[in-house]
Amino acid sequence: MITPCIFEMKAFYTNNNGLLEISKWIPNCWINIEAPTAAEKEYLLKELQIPEAFYNDIEDIDERPRIEIEDGWTLIIMRVPIKSDDVKLPFQTIPLGIIFKDDICVIITFYRTEVISDFALYSQRKNIEVKDNPDLVLRLLLSSSVWYLKYLKQINQKIKLAEDNLEKSIKNEELQALLQIEKCLVFFITSLKANDVLFHRIKNLKAYKANYDLDLLEDVEIELSQAQDTANIYSNILTGMMDAYASVISNNMNNIMKQMTSISIILMIPTLIASLYGMNVPNGLEESKYGIWILLFVSIILSVFGVFLFKRRRWF
């Protein structure tokens, strides 16, 4: 479960050798709102008059990446990675929506994410000028892909830690940790595929196609492809590891059952002899004072022979 941030997060950015945060809205600035409060929702719907359907779509945690146009407003939804407070699902993906029309552009997420703030700082360090709204969308796709790769590195460390623990002792906790990581990778792979489809749709938009930065398009495509390949590689490694440990567990269980069966057979030998001796029929030893010792000796000899035979066949 992802916990929405409960504090107000509204920021305005404008171009100034990168994205510079300013105190209030000016035309053609970019508005970033995380986990909108009731007042911010009213500001978006009443003052900026963005379509309420767009707002509701972004609020849906399962919303898929897409492009939609309504009454001159353009909605672009991509999925970005976040760290989750849920120990059972440490990494998750959420929808990030960009809504723009004329001189208004709003970036909305309903959960705390590092993508926007990190991108703003990076643009300041590199003096990146964002030309227009489509350029901003592409750069956010690039930034989100970089964050996918960062989180995938952390996931890989978790895989190695779980593998080290499993080498020491195969317990349910370690196997459950691998299952949790596998769920994270499924979310990442699905979201990255959807972002890739979104990127190619944006790339082929006729209204903006002539103004795209070709180097930026290439960078986005490379980072998206690298993130997808990395997620798939880790997923394949994890699947192979879980299959291997499942085989190890099954083999260990077979060995235990084989040993228990062998022990039962060995213990059955003296039990069988004692049962035959104790039957209420003449057997030639009922009057002998050495009868019990003879039976013990025979039982020991046959049991030792059984152990030797099973050892030779490697059943122990």
Side-chain angles (χ1 to χ4, degrees):
M1 178 180 180
I2 308 175
T3 305
C5 58
I6 57 176
F7 50 88
E8 182 174 332
M9 277 296 297
K10 179 168 67 175
F12 304 95
Y13 294 97
T14 186
N15 269 322
N16 185 9
N17 293 324
L19 290 184
L20 177 67
E21 187 172 350
I22 55 178
S23 59
K24 62 180 181 179
W25 182 84
I26 61 173
N28 295 313
C29 77
W30 291 283
I31 308 168
N32 177 46
I33 297 180
E34 295 182 0
T37 61
E40 290 169 342
K41 179 179 180 180
E42 185 175 355
Y43 168 74
L44 291 169
L45 300 181
K46 302 295 184 182
E47 188 170 337
L48 298 183
Q49 296 185 344
I50 69 170
E52 187 172 0
F54 287 0
Y55 181 91
N56 293 334
D57 287 345
I58 300 169
E59 189 175 11
D60 183 4
I61 185 64
D62 297 318
E63 193 66 33
R64 310 310 306 157
R66 59 190 174 84
I67 302 174
E68 187 174 338
I69 299 174
E70 179 182 314
D71 298 329
W73 289 93
T74 300
L75 166 68
I76 298 178
I77 296 178
M78 67 182 71
R79 294 195 69 87
V80 298
I82 64 169
K83 269 190 174 181
S84 171
D85 296 330
D86 189 352
V87 294
K88 294 183 177 180
L89 193 65
F91 299 95
Q92 173 65 288
T93 63
I94 60 166
L96 180 147
I98 303 110
I99 304 173
F100 57 87
K101 177 184 178 182
D102 300 330
D103 59 355
I104 297 174
C105 181
V106 186
I107 304 167
I108 304 174
T109 58
F110 281 80
Y111 303 89
R112 184 77 174 91
T113 175
E114 299 177 88
V115 173
I116 306 298
S117 56
D118 177 74
F119 169 65
L121 292 173
Y122 177 78
S123 67
Q124 284 288 318
R125 290 198 305 269
K126 299 295 184 178
N127 297 325
I128 296 173
E129 292 290 332
V130 181
K131 297 186 299 183
D132 50 25
N133 295 329
D135 190 64
L136 175 66
V137 172
L138 289 173
R139 293 188 183 279
L140 286 177
L141 269 173
L142 177 62
S143 182
S144 70
S145 299
V146 172
W147 274 98
Y148 274 110
L149 288 169
K150 288 182 180 180
Y151 287 145
L152 282 168
K153 289 181 181 178
Q154 296 181 35
I155 287 175
N156 189 39
Q157 292 300 318
K158 288 181 176 290
I159 293 175
K160 290 180 179 178
L161 179 61
E163 185 178 8
D164 291 340
N165 291 334
L166 281 168
E167 287 178 357
K168 298 174 184 176
S169 173
I170 298 178
K171 296 180 180 178
N172 290 340
E173 291 78 6
E174 280 75 24
L175 293 174
Q176 288 171 356
L178 290 179
L179 286 172
Q180 293 161 11
I181 296 171
E182 186 176 39
K183 286 194 290 185
C184 295
L185 289 173
V186 169
F187 279 112
F188 274 31
I189 291 171
T190 304
S191 297
L192 283 166
K193 285 181 180 178
N195 279 357
D196 188 56
V197 173
L198 173 68
F199 165 69
H200 283 92
R201 287 195 62 190
I202 295 172
K203 184 179 178 181
N204 293 318
L205 286 175
K206 293 181 179 178
Y208 307 107
K209 196 171 183 178
N211 298 323
Y212 286 147
D213 183 339
L214 296 181
D215 289 337
L216 177 59
L217 286 174
E218 184 180 1
D219 289 342
V220 175
E221 190 166 11
I222 289 172
E223 290 297 327
L224 266 173
S225 177
Q226 184 177 352
Q228 288 186 80
D229 290 344
T230 303
N232 284 320
I233 288 171
Y234 290 165
S235 179
N236 292 336
I237 291 173
L238 188 58
T239 300
M241 186 189 307
M242 293 186 69
D243 289 344
Y245 281 113
S247 299
V248 169
I249 292 171
S250 178
N251 186 59
N252 289 344
M253 181 61 68
N254 290 336
N255 288 335
I256 291 172
M257 293 303 297
K258 184 171 63 175
Q259 290 174 2
M260 294 299 293
T261 303
S262 300
I263 292 171
S264 299
I265 293 173
I266 297 301
L267 293 176
M268 186 188 71
I269 295 174
T271 304
L272 176 62
I273 295 172
S275 299
L276 293 173
Y277 176 71
M279 292 177 66
N280 193 22
V281 294
N283 54 36
L285 294 176
E286 66 272 10
E287 300 296 335
S288 175
K289 64 178 182 179
Y290 300 109
I292 184 64
W293 302 108
I294 294 172
L295 290 175
L296 285 175
F297 179 75
V298 172
S299 298
I300 291 171
I301 291 297
L302 291 177
S303 296
V304 170
F305 176 75
V307 170
F308 173 76
L309 182 63
F310 287 166
K311 280 279 188 180
R312 191 168 184 179
R313 291 178 176 269
R314 296 184 180 178
W315 288 3
F316 273 147

